[in-house]
Amino acid sequence: MKNKTNIDTTISKGYYNINQFRLDIWNRLKQLSGSLHSKAGTAISQDDIDVRIRQQLQILDVVEAYYAYPGKDFLAHIGKLFVQKEYSALGESIKDVVRLMVSEGYRRMPGCLVPPATLQRQNKKHKELNHDQHYFEVLFVDNLKLSEEDDIRGKFDEVRSIKDDYVYDLVISKTFQDALIAVMFNYNIQSCVIRYGIPYASSNNLKLLNPFVSALLEQFSDDDDYADHGIRLARAIKEFRPEIDLYLVTDSPLDNITPEVLECFDRIFYRQEDAQELHLSIRRGIHERFRTPFFKALKEYSQKPTGVFHAMPISRGNSIFKSNWIKDMADFYGRNIFLAETSATTGGLDSLLQPTGPLKVAQAMTAKAFGSQQSYFVTNGTSTANKIVLQALIQPGDIVLIDRDCHKSHHYALVLSGALPVYLDSYPIAEYSMYGAVPLEEIKHQLMLLKSAGRLDKVRMLILTNCTFDGVVYNTQRVMEEILAIKPNMIFLWDEAWFAFARFNPAYRQRTGMHAARVLTERFASEAYKQAYDENEKQEKVKGQEHAMPDPEKVRVRVYSTQSTHKTLSSLRQGSMIHIYDEDFKRKTEDAFHEAYMTHTSTSPNYQILASLDVGRRQTVLEGYELVGKSIELAMLLRERITNDPLLKKYFSVLTVKDIIDEKYRQSGFAHYYDPAEGWGRMGKAWAEDEFVLDPTKINLHVGRTGVDGDTFKNRYLMDQFGIQINKTSRNTVLFMTNIGTTRSSVAYLLGVLHKIAKQIDESQRSMNVHEKVLFEKAVKKLTLESPPLPDFSFFHPTFKPHKNTAEGDFRSAYFLSYNEAFCEYIKLEACNKVMATGRQLVSASFVIPYPPGFPVLVPGQVFSDEIVEFMKALDVKEIHGYRPELGFRVFTENALNAVIPKALESKRSLYGSMVAGNGKEKPARKIKNENEPHKIGKE
């Protein structure tokens, strides 16, 4: 149906994404066609209904160009029914379409609800797919005439079969813009066939779609330098959705096919060839992503008849199914989980510690999916993954810059490795008792102090949490580039425990460690960068300043990411991954990494966890883009509903971007994802430019106006009354997270729960007497206006400082010296100020970690400050690790600090070289190998 009249383009502005908009248009059309058919129950005249239906059909004519289902044929079919006034058939047809779109039933019934003429052409019946078949869509890009479209569809109909394992339909786009929009809109597109000679500009009404596509089209605007937009489109798709298989159909001679073309496409075909090979290649590409080598091997092993004469009585379920007392376990878990239990590493299975078969293949496929050079499965959580990486790369005496409020596993890993941490302070968000992230200037400041003190050569690694629990995300590329300009061989460990999903969304992907590593590696190796560096060097010499660009002759990109797959993707509990993009891994670190991996990895790993990691990888490359997009959509929906609901906003408010990220870190000026007055904010520019951004799937709900703190709100209301589980609270907030498993019904349930809680608080207030009301108002004031200031890290006591002019501390020694009871005593919180007033420095002998907020307020060897003591006094949480209310803080005695411990440390430090005694005087350093020389065990 052609656009013969003007369409109201403002209709799309109130929607966050195209899927909400599209489904609402179809629902509106269903209601209108139902009214037209019944001719009753509505105050709208038939002429008005006709006009509105015509408008909805015109909108769908624009939107449906990017989808195979329902498709253009069906849209033309219902347009014809409308013109012929066959209102009953029109209403039923639209109702069926909406039902199948909402339930996604069309994915299980290819060919459903298409016009009879199309069915006749395709020569197939409506048939539901079995569970081994999978539906997807193929984008075919060519500037075709309408008759040629039918011809292309006919050729593919001849070679496709409803019996195939992978069943697909075609989406035909004629221009660069239309193809790019289709890839953005249509989650079902898994493969793309591009023909040479496509034009750039769309003839579709993009004004209607502007809120959804403007940022994308600005990123890939028209460029006269491109003689062929087909190659440019392939590169754009690789950048936007790298999982999509790409095929080129061309007439160009082989001599004209450049290395760039060969790199972009999975395979190249010629026009004169029939569709059979292209069809088989499309199926093969999907199958390669669908394969799960370890999960398949485990399933096959479980069906083999075996005799069990190894460890594990539970293997094959023998100790379970023949038991008289624990058969209920078998009833609960089923038979397969026990059939797949084994300690065998042969017979089709593999060893996690030294894989040579399906596990090795599964990890290689995972590396490709996540954009790394190597990926490793970890079966006991990211806590262990962090310890593996640190042990592999750090040796005693190395300096490590680390985010102070990172996960506790990093702190304990530093204890084990003997590293000297320089703790970096994140910017505080005192009003909500949480921290943001570490500003780049803070990192550079500490590095320059170390450089001035002649200690830069000892700096080995930077550890940062990306994204933080509260959703603050770093600009990974900017951080690494500016740090490498100071320390060209710095190793980066990005703790992406809550960010494993980020690879599968184009906005998020650019902020991941692996993506930034690949971009920087390619950039530093390019001739254009080398020329820019040389020019910058000349300019800086004239100005008399140090260069601000990494030296391409010295820089080494060495990046590690640890991810809790089980937290944000599909994996059993404790399933995690380590991803590596390290230019020196093979030459310097591989042996040490494998030693560390074997040190911390069980010789009896859980095979079910390994299989779930394999299957989770399959899901990410086939539907990760879709599922992550939907989780973002639901997060936005939750934000909008809470913000606009009159009752909910009386007691709750969703923290905005500007609440969590200070303006100086938001160069784009982006302030909110949703604002009642301004509508939806578009995140593209901010995610490309700002120092920090906020992950919209992390929703911090301020609950201070309820009069109860976050921990009490979680337990009294969410958990005890309604069974809603959350991971984190602060003094006056609770954190909700959407993920790829979140459903619309769960969001609706949460909104309903918040309504019930708000009503309870309303009723409670109405029944309060005067004194109770005063107490309530006092509690609200305390939680909204009287938040305690968050303390910065103080400093290490001189006894545990290897160098008097820099901030690093020897807290490994402090940690283990605290094992000696004679060195320690307890000081109660209320006595701290009095003791400190005498001039004594209180030094912590343990980690002190309040939950919430969950970061270490004190680490072994750190000096108490007035700010830390006041913060601890102001806390109203009950769970504080490292603090015993009946005894107090465990601290080092004055005698131990002044006399006994310095002598013990001097003896220990002499064993490994340039560690420094408490007086700040360095001991002779051991000889360190040249950093460019290979090392037998991977150490520099």
Side-chain angles (χ1 to χ4, degrees), residues 180-206:
L180 205 56
I181 293 169
V183 167
M184 178 189 182
F185 284 2
N186 191 340
Y187 297 138
N188 289 325
I189 292 174
Q190 297 288 347
S191 303
C192 178
V193 180
I194 301 174
R195 283 188 169 179
Y196 262 112
I198 61 169
Y200 172 79
S202 171
S203 60
N204 210 357
N205 183 2
L206 298 188

PDB file of all heavy atoms in Angstrom, residues 180-206:
ATOM      1  N   LEU A 180      20.539  -1.363   6.468  1.00  0.00           N
ATOM      2  CA  LEU A 180      21.064  -1.080   7.795  1.00  0.00           C
ATOM      3  C   LEU A 180      19.932  -0.971   8.817  1.00  0.00           C
ATOM      4  O   LEU A 180      20.042  -1.470   9.944  1.00  0.00           O
ATOM      5  CB  LEU A 180      21.870   0.220   7.762  1.00  0.00           C
ATOM      6  CG  LEU A 180      22.954   0.396   8.825  1.00  0.00           C
ATOM      7  CD1 LEU A 180      23.945  -0.752   8.792  1.00  0.00           C
ATOM      8  CD2 LEU A 180      23.678   1.720   8.633  1.00  0.00           C
ATOM      9  N   ILE A 181      18.827  -0.359   8.423  1.00  0.00           N
ATOM     10  CA  ILE A 181      17.662  -0.258   9.311  1.00  0.00           C
ATOM     11  C   ILE A 181      17.087  -1.642   9.588  1.00  0.00           C
ATOM     12  O   ILE A 181      16.718  -1.960  10.725  1.00  0.00           O
ATOM     13  CB  ILE A 181      16.591   0.664   8.697  1.00  0.00           C
ATOM     14  CG1 ILE A 181      17.113   2.108   8.646  1.00  0.00           C
ATOM     15  CG2 ILE A 181      15.299   0.615   9.503  1.00  0.00           C
ATOM     16  CD1 ILE A 181      16.246   3.047   7.827  1.00  0.00           C
ATOM     17  N   ALA A 182      17.025  -2.489   8.580  1.00  0.00           N
ATOM     18  CA  ALA A 182      16.517  -3.848   8.769  1.00  0.00           C
ATOM     19  C   ALA A 182      17.360  -4.617   9.781  1.00  0.00           C
ATOM     20  O   ALA A 182      16.839  -5.314  10.654  1.00  0.00           O
ATOM     21  CB  ALA A 182      16.481  -4.588   7.436  1.00  0.00           C
ATOM     22  N   VAL A 183      18.671  -4.489   9.674  1.00  0.00           N
ATOM     23  CA  VAL A 183      19.576  -5.173  10.615  1.00  0.00           C
ATOM     24  C   VAL A 183      19.365  -4.651  12.027  1.00  0.00           C
ATOM     25  O   VAL A 183      19.437  -5.400  12.998  1.00  0.00           O
ATOM     26  CB  VAL A 183      21.043  -4.989  10.169  1.00  0.00           C
ATOM     27  CG1 VAL A 183      22.008  -5.388  11.262  1.00  0.00           C
ATOM     28  CG2 VAL A 183      21.307  -5.797   8.907  1.00  0.00           C
ATOM     29  N   MET A 184      19.086  -3.363  12.150  1.00  0.00           N
ATOM     30  CA  MET A 184      18.840  -2.767  13.465  1.00  0.00           C
ATOM     31  C   MET A 184      17.486  -3.207  14.032  1.00  0.00           C
ATOM     32  O   MET A 184      17.382  -3.578  15.205  1.00  0.00           O
ATOM     33  CB  MET A 184      18.879  -1.247  13.354  1.00  0.00           C
ATOM     34  CG  MET A 184      18.590  -0.523  14.653  1.00  0.00           C
ATOM     35  SD  MET A 184      18.409   1.255  14.380  1.00  0.00           S
ATOM     36  CE  MET A 184      18.145   1.830  16.058  1.00  0.00           C
ATOM     37  N   PHE A 185      16.449  -3.176  13.214  1.00  0.00           N
ATOM     38  CA  PHE A 185      15.091  -3.445  13.688  1.00  0.00           C
ATOM     39  C   PHE A 185      14.818  -4.933  13.907  1.00  0.00           C
ATOM     40  O   PHE A 185      14.176  -5.316  14.877  1.00  0.00           O
ATOM     41  CB  PHE A 185      14.067  -2.926  12.670  1.00  0.00           C
ATOM     42  CG  PHE A 185      13.859  -1.436  12.671  1.00  0.00           C
ATOM     43  CD1 PHE A 185      14.593  -0.602  13.506  1.00  0.00           C
ATOM     44  CD2 PHE A 185      12.922  -0.860  11.822  1.00  0.00           C
ATOM     45  CE1 PHE A 185      14.399   0.766  13.499  1.00  0.00           C
ATOM     46  CE2 PHE A 185      12.725   0.510  11.804  1.00  0.00           C
ATOM     47  CZ  PHE A 185      13.456   1.324  12.642  1.00  0.00           C
ATOM     48  N   ASN A 186      15.265  -5.744  12.975  1.00  0.00           N
ATOM     49  CA  ASN A 186      14.771  -7.121  12.868  1.00  0.00           C
ATOM     50  C   ASN A 186      15.712  -8.100  13.567  1.00  0.00           C
ATOM     51  O   ASN A 186      16.772  -8.439  13.060  1.00  0.00           O
ATOM     52  CB  ASN A 186      14.617  -7.485  11.390  1.00  0.00           C
ATOM     53  CG  ASN A 186      13.863  -8.795  11.201  1.00  0.00           C
ATOM     54  OD1 ASN A 186      13.759  -9.609  12.109  1.00  0.00           O
ATOM     55  ND2 ASN A 186      13.334  -8.992  10.006  1.00  0.00           N
ATOM     56  N   TYR A 187      15.284  -8.559  14.738  1.00  0.00           N
ATOM     57  CA  TYR A 187      16.090  -9.507  15.505  1.00  0.00           C
ATOM     58  C   TYR A 187      16.268 -10.842  14.781  1.00  0.00           C
ATOM     59  O   TYR A 187      17.233 -11.567  15.021  1.00  0.00           O
ATOM     60  CB  TYR A 187      15.418  -9.804  16.844  1.00  0.00           C
ATOM     61  CG  TYR A 187      15.267  -8.625  17.765  1.00  0.00           C
ATOM     62  CD1 TYR A 187      14.089  -8.423  18.482  1.00  0.00           C
ATOM     63  CD2 TYR A 187      16.309  -7.718  17.950  1.00  0.00           C
ATOM     64  CE1 TYR A 187      13.953  -7.354  19.357  1.00  0.00           C
ATOM     65  CE2 TYR A 187      16.181  -6.639  18.820  1.00  0.00           C
ATOM     66  CZ  TYR A 187      15.000  -6.469  19.526  1.00  0.00           C
ATOM     67  OH  TYR A 187      14.876  -5.416  20.387  1.00  0.00           O
ATOM     68  N   ASN A 188      15.317 -11.190  13.905  1.00  0.00           N
ATOM     69  CA  ASN A 188      15.340 -12.511  13.267  1.00  0.00           C
ATOM     70  C   ASN A 188      16.397 -12.639  12.174  1.00  0.00           C
ATOM     71  O   ASN A 188      16.709 -13.748  11.741  1.00  0.00           O
ATOM     72  CB  ASN A 188      13.967 -12.827  12.656  1.00  0.00           C
ATOM     73  CG  ASN A 188      12.922 -13.111  13.714  1.00  0.00           C
ATOM     74  OD1 ASN A 188      13.218 -13.684  14.746  1.00  0.00           O
ATOM     75  ND2 ASN A 188      11.698 -12.667  13.466  1.00  0.00           N
ATOM     76  N   ILE A 189      16.927 -11.516  11.699  1.00  0.00           N
ATOM     77  CA  ILE A 189      17.918 -11.583  10.617  1.00  0.00           C
ATOM     78  C   ILE A 189      19.213 -12.189  11.146  1.00  0.00           C
ATOM     79  O   ILE A 189      19.829 -11.669  12.073  1.00  0.00           O
ATOM     80  CB  ILE A 189      18.173 -10.186  10.017  1.00  0.00           C
ATOM     81  CG1 ILE A 189      16.928  -9.696   9.263  1.00  0.00           C
ATOM     82  CG2 ILE A 189      19.384 -10.194   9.095  1.00  0.00           C
ATOM     83  CD1 ILE A 189      17.027  -8.267   8.760  1.00  0.00           C
ATOM     84  N   GLN A 190      19.610 -13.303  10.537  1.00  0.00           N
ATOM     85  CA  GLN A 190      20.829 -14.002  10.933  1.00  0.00           C
ATOM     86  C   GLN A 190      21.853 -14.060   9.803  1.00  0.00           C
ATOM     87  O   GLN A 190      23.029 -14.326  10.057  1.00  0.00           O
ATOM     88  CB  GLN A 190      20.496 -15.435  11.374  1.00  0.00           C
ATOM     89  CG  GLN A 190      19.609 -15.535  12.590  1.00  0.00           C
ATOM     90  CD  GLN A 190      20.325 -15.143  13.872  1.00  0.00           C
ATOM     91  OE1 GLN A 190      21.539 -15.028  13.906  1.00  0.00           O
ATOM     92  NE2 GLN A 190      19.564 -14.908  14.932  1.00  0.00           N
ATOM     93  N   SER A 191      21.408 -13.844   8.578  1.00  0.00           N
ATOM     94  CA  SER A 191      22.302 -13.887   7.421  1.00  0.00           C
ATOM     95  C   SER A 191      21.951 -12.744   6.485  1.00  0.00           C
ATOM     96  O   SER A 191      20.799 -12.280   6.457  1.00  0.00           O
ATOM     97  CB  SER A 191      22.160 -15.212   6.664  1.00  0.00           C
ATOM     98  OG  SER A 191      22.407 -16.314   7.512  1.00  0.00           O
ATOM     99  N   CYS A 192      22.943 -12.306   5.713  1.00  0.00           N
ATOM    100  CA  CYS A 192      22.716 -11.201   4.783  1.00  0.00           C
ATOM    101  C   CYS A 192      23.417 -11.501   3.466  1.00  0.00           C
ATOM    102  O   CYS A 192      24.621 -11.816   3.447  1.00  0.00           O
ATOM    103  CB  CYS A 192      23.228  -9.898   5.385  1.00  0.00           C
ATOM    104  SG  CYS A 192      23.048  -8.470   4.295  1.00  0.00           S
ATOM    105  N   VAL A 193      22.669 -11.380   2.373  1.00  0.00           N
ATOM    106  CA  VAL A 193      23.207 -11.552   1.024  1.00  0.00           C
ATOM    107  C   VAL A 193      23.222 -10.179   0.362  1.00  0.00           C
ATOM    108  O   VAL A 193      22.179  -9.521   0.259  1.00  0.00           O
ATOM    109  CB  VAL A 193      22.348 -12.532   0.195  1.00  0.00           C
ATOM    110  CG1 VAL A 193      22.938 -12.695  -1.199  1.00  0.00           C
ATOM    111  CG2 VAL A 193      22.236 -13.878   0.910  1.00  0.00           C
ATOM    112  N   ILE A 194      24.397  -9.722  -0.081  1.00  0.00           N
ATOM    113  CA  ILE A 194      24.533  -8.385  -0.656  1.00  0.00           C
ATOM    114  C   ILE A 194      24.975  -8.496  -2.109  1.00  0.00           C
ATOM    115  O   ILE A 194      25.895  -9.249  -2.431  1.00  0.00           O
ATOM    116  CB  ILE A 194      25.571  -7.551   0.133  1.00  0.00           C
ATOM    117  CG1 ILE A 194      25.146  -7.433   1.603  1.00  0.00           C
ATOM    118  CG2 ILE A 194      25.750  -6.173  -0.489  1.00  0.00           C
ATOM    119  CD1 ILE A 194      26.180  -6.764   2.483  1.00  0.00           C
ATOM    120  N   ARG A 195      24.311  -7.734  -2.975  1.00  0.00           N
ATOM    121  CA  ARG A 195      24.732  -7.661  -4.369  1.00  0.00           C
ATOM    122  C   ARG A 195      25.413  -6.328  -4.632  1.00  0.00           C
ATOM    123  O   ARG A 195      25.095  -5.317  -3.994  1.00  0.00           O
ATOM    124  CB  ARG A 195      23.525  -7.825  -5.302  1.00  0.00           C
ATOM    125  CG  ARG A 195      23.074  -9.280  -5.414  1.00  0.00           C
ATOM    126  CD  ARG A 195      22.012  -9.444  -6.477  1.00  0.00           C
ATOM    127  NE  ARG A 195      21.754 -10.844  -6.787  1.00  0.00           N
ATOM    128  CZ  ARG A 195      20.856 -11.256  -7.665  1.00  0.00           C
ATOM    129  NH1 ARG A 195      20.115 -10.362  -8.320  1.00  0.00           N
ATOM    130  NH2 ARG A 195      20.691 -12.537  -7.908  1.00  0.00           N
ATOM    131  N   TYR A 196      26.344  -6.350  -5.574  1.00  0.00           N
ATOM    132  CA  TYR A 196      27.048  -5.126  -5.957  1.00  0.00           C
ATOM    133  C   TYR A 196      26.064  -4.087  -6.495  1.00  0.00           C
ATOM    134  O   TYR A 196      25.013  -4.415  -7.033  1.00  0.00           O
ATOM    135  CB  TYR A 196      28.069  -5.439  -7.058  1.00  0.00           C
ATOM    136  CG  TYR A 196      29.475  -5.616  -6.540  1.00  0.00           C
ATOM    137  CD1 TYR A 196      30.103  -6.848  -6.563  1.00  0.00           C
ATOM    138  CD2 TYR A 196      30.186  -4.525  -6.040  1.00  0.00           C
ATOM    139  CE1 TYR A 196      31.400  -7.006  -6.099  1.00  0.00           C
ATOM    140  CE2 TYR A 196      31.487  -4.676  -5.578  1.00  0.00           C
ATOM    141  CZ  TYR A 196      32.083  -5.921  -5.608  1.00  0.00           C
ATOM    142  OH  TYR A 196      33.358  -6.086  -5.150  1.00  0.00           O
ATOM    143  N   GLY A 197      26.448  -2.816  -6.326  1.00  0.00           N
ATOM    144  CA  GLY A 197      25.743  -1.748  -7.016  1.00  0.00           C
ATOM    145  C   GLY A 197      24.507  -1.223  -6.337  1.00  0.00           C
ATOM    146  O   GLY A 197      23.650  -0.641  -6.993  1.00  0.00           O
ATOM    147  N   ILE A 198      24.384  -1.386  -5.022  1.00  0.00           N
ATOM    148  CA  ILE A 198      23.180  -0.876  -4.354  1.00  0.00           C
ATOM    149  C   ILE A 198      23.321   0.625  -4.112  1.00  0.00           C
ATOM    150  O   ILE A 198      24.410   1.123  -3.810  1.00  0.00           O
ATOM    151  CB  ILE A 198      22.924  -1.605  -3.028  1.00  0.00           C
ATOM    152  CG1 ILE A 198      24.099  -1.394  -2.053  1.00  0.00           C
ATOM    153  CG2 ILE A 198      22.669  -3.071  -3.239  1.00  0.00           C
ATOM    154  CD1 ILE A 198      23.806  -1.849  -0.643  1.00  0.00           C
ATOM    155  N   PRO A 199      22.232   1.389  -4.238  1.00  0.00           N
ATOM    156  CA  PRO A 199      22.284   2.820  -3.944  1.00  0.00           C
ATOM    157  C   PRO A 199      22.302   3.072  -2.445  1.00  0.00           C
ATOM    158  O   PRO A 199      22.045   2.163  -1.648  1.00  0.00           O
ATOM    159  CB  PRO A 199      20.991   3.355  -4.578  1.00  0.00           C
ATOM    160  CG  PRO A 199      20.068   2.186  -4.585  1.00  0.00           C
ATOM    161  CD  PRO A 199      20.922   0.961  -4.764  1.00  0.00           C
ATOM    162  N   TYR A 200      22.543   4.320  -2.071  1.00  0.00           N
ATOM    163  CA  TYR A 200      22.631   4.649  -0.643  1.00  0.00           C
ATOM    164  C   TYR A 200      21.270   4.966  -0.032  1.00  0.00           C
ATOM    165  O   TYR A 200      20.872   4.380   0.969  1.00  0.00           O
ATOM    166  CB  TYR A 200      23.559   5.852  -0.426  1.00  0.00           C
ATOM    167  CG  TYR A 200      23.531   6.355   0.996  1.00  0.00           C
ATOM    168  CD1 TYR A 200      24.244   5.708   1.990  1.00  0.00           C
ATOM    169  CD2 TYR A 200      22.756   7.473   1.344  1.00  0.00           C
ATOM    170  CE1 TYR A 200      24.196   6.144   3.304  1.00  0.00           C
ATOM    171  CE2 TYR A 200      22.707   7.915   2.660  1.00  0.00           C
ATOM    172  CZ  TYR A 200      23.435   7.251   3.635  1.00  0.00           C
ATOM    173  OH  TYR A 200      23.375   7.675   4.932  1.00  0.00           O
ATOM    174  N   ALA A 201      20.533   5.908  -0.630  1.00  0.00           N
ATOM    175  CA  ALA A 201      19.376   6.510   0.036  1.00  0.00           C
ATOM    176  C   ALA A 201      18.115   5.667  -0.113  1.00  0.00           C
ATOM    177  O   ALA A 201      17.824   5.122  -1.175  1.00  0.00           O
ATOM    178  CB  ALA A 201      19.125   7.902  -0.510  1.00  0.00           C
ATOM    179  N   SER A 202      17.350   5.607   0.976  1.00  0.00           N
ATOM    180  CA  SER A 202      16.071   4.904   0.987  1.00  0.00           C
ATOM    181  C   SER A 202      14.977   5.769   0.373  1.00  0.00           C
ATOM    182  O   SER A 202      15.003   6.993   0.468  1.00  0.00           O
ATOM    183  CB  SER A 202      15.689   4.555   2.423  1.00  0.00           C
ATOM    184  OG  SER A 202      14.377   4.068   2.493  1.00  0.00           O
ATOM    185  N   SER A 203      14.016   5.115  -0.259  1.00  0.00           N
ATOM    186  CA  SER A 203      12.831   5.825  -0.747  1.00  0.00           C
ATOM    187  C   SER A 203      11.670   5.674   0.233  1.00  0.00           C
ATOM    188  O   SER A 203      10.579   6.168  -0.010  1.00  0.00           O
ATOM    189  CB  SER A 203      12.427   5.287  -2.123  1.00  0.00           C
ATOM    190  OG  SER A 203      12.124   3.900  -2.041  1.00  0.00           O
ATOM    191  N   ASN A 204      11.914   4.967   1.339  1.00  0.00           N
ATOM    192  CA  ASN A 204      10.887   4.786   2.360  1.00  0.00           C
ATOM    193  C   ASN A 204      10.709   6.093   3.144  1.00  0.00           C
ATOM    194  O   ASN A 204      11.581   6.969   3.114  1.00  0.00           O
ATOM    195  CB  ASN A 204      11.303   3.651   3.303  1.00  0.00           C
ATOM    196  CG  ASN A 204      10.105   2.919   3.896  1.00  0.00           C
ATOM    197  OD1 ASN A 204       8.956   3.281   3.651  1.00  0.00           O
ATOM    198  ND2 ASN A 204      10.377   1.884   4.667  1.00  0.00           N
ATOM    199  N   ASN A 205       9.627   6.205   3.878  1.00  0.00           N
ATOM    200  CA  ASN A 205       9.344   7.416   4.645  1.00  0.00           C
ATOM    201  C   ASN A 205      10.123   7.375   5.967  1.00  0.00           C
ATOM    202  O   ASN A 205       9.582   7.047   7.015  1.00  0.00           O
ATOM    203  CB  ASN A 205       7.844   7.527   4.910  1.00  0.00           C
ATOM    204  CG  ASN A 205       7.490   8.814   5.637  1.00  0.00           C
ATOM    205  OD1 ASN A 205       8.349   9.646   5.905  1.00  0.00           O
ATOM    206  ND2 ASN A 205       6.219   8.961   5.962  1.00  0.00           N
ATOM    207  N   LEU A 206      11.407   7.710   5.917  1.00  0.00           N
ATOM    208  CA  LEU A 206      12.247   7.618   7.107  1.00  0.00           C
ATOM    209  C   LEU A 206      11.925   8.701   8.134  1.00  0.00           C
ATOM    210  O   LEU A 206      12.349   8.596   9.289  1.00  0.00           O
ATOM    211  CB  LEU A 206      13.726   7.698   6.712  1.00  0.00           C
ATOM    212  CG  LEU A 206      14.235   6.581   5.794  1.00  0.00           C
ATOM    213  CD1 LEU A 206      15.744   6.678   5.644  1.00  0.00           C
ATOM    214  CD2 LEU A 206      13.835   5.206   6.309  1.00  0.00           C
TER     215      LEU A 206
END
